[in-house]
Amino acid sequence: MSSYVLVFRMSNAKAVPGEEAAWGAWFQELGGAVTDFGQRVGRTTTLGTESAQRLGGYIVIGADDIEHATQLAKGCPGLQHGGSVEIGEAIPM
């Protein structure tokens, strides 16, 4: 099993009503796949190409492969509110 970082990008800085509960429910659904609950991200700055979406936070999950990690990421509540999830394999140093 490998580790994958799920990076959340948001187009809206304010949470939609009910969104916090949806995130909590999704984390419960992921269960033991979450190996690091990560952090929310506050103020950000961007070097290079600006994006309409800002960095919102990240978690680390364990999955069999990137396809499995992608399948788990599809339940992210932010996807239903204009956000995106970037999935990347964590490479041990």
Side-chain angles (χ1 to χ4, degrees):
M1 185 166 293
S2 296
S3 292
Y4 294 87
V5 180
L6 305 184
V7 176
F8 308 115
R9 298 192 184 279
M10 315 294 182
S11 55
N12 185 0
K14 293 190 179 203
V16 175
E19 189 175 0
E20 290 294 324
W23 280 91
W26 181 54
F27 287 147
Q28 284 187 329
E29 185 180 308
L30 289 173
V34 178
T35 60
D36 178 346
F37 277 95
Q39 300 290 323
R40 287 186 182 179
V41 174
R43 194 175 75 158
T44 64
T45 189
T46 302
L47 301 175
T49 306
E50 280 287 328
S51 170
Q53 295 186 327
R54 67 171 190 79
L55 178 62
Y58 74 94
I59 63 172
V60 180
I61 62 169
D64 297 329
D65 52 35
I66 197 157
E67 289 79 14
H68 182 216
T70 301
Q71 204 53 35
L72 293 172
K74 286 182 179 179
C76 174
L79 294 172
Q80 293 160 5
H81 301 287
S84 66
V85 181
E86 187 172 349
I87 304 146
E89 185 176 11
I91 307 297
M93 301 289 275

